[in-house]
Amino acid sequence: VTETPHSPGPAHEPAGAEKRRSQRIALRVPVVVIGTDVNGKAFGELTGTVIVNAHGALVELKAVLADNQRVLLRNRLTGQRESCRVVWFRRDESGMNRAGLEFLIPAPHFWGVEFPPETWKLEQMSAVVQREAGGPLEFAKVTRPRPLPEELLVRVEACGVCHSDLHVARGDWPEVAGAMSYPAILGHEVVGRVVEAGAAVKGYRGGERVGVGWLYSTCGRCELCREGAENICLKRQVTGIAAPGGFAEFIRVRAATAVPVPDSLPAEQAAPLFCAGLTVFHALRNAGLLSQAKIEGSAAGQRVAVIGLGGLGLLAVQLARLAGAEVCAVDVSDLKLALARSLGAAQTVDARSPDALQQIRGSSRPHLAVVTAPAKSAYDLAFRALRRRGTLAVVGLPKEDLTFFADDLAVSECRIIGSAVGTRAEMREVLELAAAGKLRCETQVCRPEEINNVIARMERGEIAGRAVLRFGPATP
Ligand SMILES: [Zn+2]
Ligand SMILES: [Zn+2]
């Protein structure tokens, strides 16, 4: 380790800032860079040099990196590893490649030397962090992100806790686990205010209220994007997986993906709409209710069974009611059944009762069954309850395969439909309904420090409605 007081600047400043550089302590540390190049090809292990100072790190190496990609650094002196993000990359005339790196968790120990604390001045924020796959979530201080040119930096007001967050945190979904990089910040029901807009962003001055959900970005070019099905874009990236999510004081979001949120909606009301609300809205629209031309009354005369009355189910009850359907709400919790009744369900059924199937069938069988419970038994019940030519909407995701007899399916002419979150255009419709007072989330507001307790209660089914983490000061 040698001290080089005039070495190039910090990770966040690709050019300029000459004057202040000489005041900084900088160290050259030999590192191994592990990752993939700009084309996604593994470059194996490359040795390079990191120049680190109080404001960030800069790596010199032979590989070509891309903005925003993640690489792993191994300190050749100490053997320590840290994951970082490429904030900028450029190649100078001498052919040397330089990249500015941002460490999610500032870790002076990584460099094998102690920095005087006053020189370690990366701006910090509080966040719920998972340091390794399947590990515990912890409330910690991490580096506050800076927006890339096409991004917004948003100060998070509230972020809902979705069951998907539980699955991702536990490593239940192998295909997602491969796309994660750690330390990770989950959370994809985010509402906040813009505090900074990247250099290439037009139309934001700061202070605007925006939200972002499961879709962190879509390509806009693939077959599905062109068909208006951006929610299943072949190249979509997911918030909290491809990029840090909203369980933090600040989040970087793509300006193109951010959806404006009306000021009249409290943050904890708006946040769960970005996954829970959008998901049920899209599922009901896929099932033929809530047509774009006419939402209210679009399902008059139909019976809709909603099975599973968590955050999603209670929203589905309201949307089906809004469409004019008669709603049969099914769950195993008296509290949730009572909530469904208060939201307009004409009938509630305790799924544990021996004649639950007969009760759901009632005097005329449902046209549509929306299953939000992640249980195979709920799907079996729903399928058997449906009328002929009925529709089964798959929303809750059990670990087991769903099975239906081909004969039953053929004779009943039932349709089984999938749905995956929803589009930005649908998100605007959902927010409009909520702002007009036609859609309300049952929420339990929690502090981010309580995250592990919140998750434990969610796993035991003890939270009625949606748990929402509130960042910053409490609502007056
Ligand atoms: Zn979700
Ligand atoms: Zn696409």
Side-chain angles (χ1 to χ4, degrees), residues 399-419:
K399 275 188 187 172
E400 311 93 315
D401 289 345
L402 301 179
T403 52
F404 307 97
F405 287 117
D407 194 39
D408 289 346
L409 200 54
V411 167
S412 66
E413 287 198 2
C414 280
R415 295 187 303 147
I416 298 169
I417 58 165
S419 70

Side-chain angles (χ1 to χ4, degrees), residues 69-149:
Q69 88 172 78
R70 290 287 189 111
V71 293
L72 196 65
L73 283 192
R74 191 176 77 229
N75 185 329
R76 286 168 61 206
L77 301 175
T78 64
Q80 302 232 35
R81 288 164 173 254
E82 280 294 340
S83 145
C84 26
R85 178 172 78 98
V86 178
V87 183
W88 56 266
F89 177 85
R90 71 168 189 269
R91 160 172 267 165
D92 67 16
E93 302 84 44
S94 65
M96 177 62 80
N97 295 327
R98 292 200 168 90
L101 303 176
E102 175 189 80
F103 290 77
L104 185 61
I105 297 182
H109 67 269
F110 174 75
W111 309 111
V113 290
E114 281 291 324
F115 277 97
E118 65 275 16
T119 64
W120 194 262
K121 282 176 186 159
L122 289 173
E123 281 188 275
Q124 292 196 318
M125 66 172 183
S126 302
V128 173
V129 175
Q130 190 177 35
R131 289 178 198 265
E132 56 185 21
L137 300 182
E138 55 185 286
F139 186 66
K141 289 279 184 203
V142 302
T143 308
R144 174 173 155 174
R146 300 282 301 269
L148 293 176

Side-chain angles (χ1 to χ4, degrees), residues 22 26 70 121 158 181 205 224 232 271-272 283 313 324 334 374 382 400 405 430:
S22 58
R70 290 287 189 111
K121 282 176 186 159
S181 57
R205 272 180 299 194
L224 292 151
I232 48 173
D334 292 337
E400 311 93 315
F405 287 117
V430 171

